[in-house]
Amino acid sequence: MTLLPYEATFPALGTRAMLLTSLPETLLPAVEVLRAALEAMDEEAGFDDRSMIAQQLADGLAEEFEGGFLVDVGGTPAVAGDSLAGTDPDIAELMGLTYAA
């Protein structure tokens, strides 16, 4: 089930990576950045490593692009940037997301 039209899912690090963004125009450039960054990572990364990678990637996207981002690498989500709620705060509440500066 897709809650936002600004979502991309793709294989990475031997698992699944997902990106949500609050602005549709940032989705494709952000996916390219994530894919390039994840190709350089070790597929043997453990849960803690994936968590740190996800947060670094989310923070990097928030610095490079406008909007909010959720990066999930193999079940380890991280958020950064503006709120993903956009104009509909129910989406953020439904997903359990909070604002991350």
Side-chain angles (χ1 to χ4, degrees):
M1 176 167 117
T2 301
L3 298 174
L4 293 173
Y6 322 128
E7 174 183 342
T9 304
F10 51 93
L13 297 179
T15 186
R16 176 192 58 87
M18 181 180 66
L19 169 67
L20 293 176
T21 180
S22 61
L23 302 173
E25 62 271 14
T26 62
L27 182 62
L28 292 178
V31 167
E32 292 304 316
V33 169
L34 286 184
R35 283 189 166 166
L38 289 169
E39 283 180 5
M41 303 292 175
D42 182 12
E43 282 199 28
E44 300 298 318
F47 183 83
D48 290 339
D49 294 332
R50 289 194 311 263
S51 178
M52 186 173 29
I53 290 167
Q55 189 61 59
Q56 289 172 347
L57 291 170
D59 291 341
L61 290 174
E63 288 178 16
E64 189 167 341
F65 303 107
E66 292 183 26
F69 299 91
L70 180 142
V71 175
D72 183 315
V73 181
T76 57
V79 294
D82 297 334
S83 173
L84 286 170
T87 59
D88 187 358
D90 294 334
I91 292 173
E93 290 174 17
L94 181 62
M95 296 187 69
L97 304 178
T98 57
Y99 175 79

